[in-house]
Amino acid sequence: MTKLLEFAYLEDNWDSYHAKPIELKTLKQVIDLYSAIYEKFHILPVHIAPFSGGIQLEYRENSNALEIEVRGTNKYAYLFIQGEKENDLKDDRTFSEEDNVDEVRVFEMLG
């Protein structure tokens, strides 16, 4: 959670590629989602990363990963990766993604 609060101090162009700072409403949305996921599923993200104007939470279980993008709009985008990449020649992963989904859909993907 401390890492999330550090994102509040990112300034314009924080990544030297013109990234926007994280707005407080986005941080609040992330903290609310983070808390709701922990309360419902008792899991924590394995990775938390800022991107231009938003924050990504990544959850992993077995050979699956769910990356959730939070942009402060009360909607989410996600990328679900199922399976593992064994090497450069064999990649049996499947990918599905959706944009502009609500918290219920995020919970369905985690459940």
Side-chain angles (χ1 to χ4, degrees):
M1 193 70 79
T2 304
K3 186 173 185 175
L4 282 174
L5 298 177
E6 291 174 8
F7 297 155
Y9 298 100
L10 294 176
E11 297 179 357
D12 205 24
N13 197 33
W14 56 265
D15 68 349
S16 72
Y17 293 99
H18 310 292
K20 297 175 185 170
I22 309 297
E23 294 182 11
L24 290 179
K25 69 179 181 179
T26 303
L27 277 172
K28 182 184 179 329
Q29 185 182 356
V30 170
I31 290 168
D32 290 347
L33 180 65
Y34 179 105
S35 299
I37 289 172
Y38 184 76
E39 185 176 310
K40 187 170 180 73
F41 298 100
H42 304 288
I43 58 174
L44 295 172
V46 295
H47 188 68
I48 301 172
F51 63 92
S52 186
I55 297 174
Q56 180 184 54
L57 303 174
E58 182 178 330
Y59 294 87
R60 292 189 174 270
E61 184 175 39
N62 302 322
S63 61
N64 300 323
L66 181 66
E67 299 174 1
I68 305 165
E69 290 186 357
V70 182
R71 301 181 188 125
T73 62
N74 291 325
K75 294 291 183 180
Y76 307 91
Y78 73 80
L79 171 64
F80 181 65
I81 305 166
Q82 191 171 18
E84 292 184 15
K85 182 176 180 179
E86 293 183 26
N87 55 50
D88 287 337
L89 300 174
K90 184 168 182 178
D91 188 354
D92 291 331
R93 296 177 297 175
T94 58
F95 302 86
S96 61
E97 61 186 319
E98 281 187 83
D99 196 5
N100 204 31
V101 299
D102 60 15
E103 192 174 270
V104 172
R105 181 66 177 139
V106 170
F107 287 169
E108 288 172 358
M109 295 308 299
L110 285 165

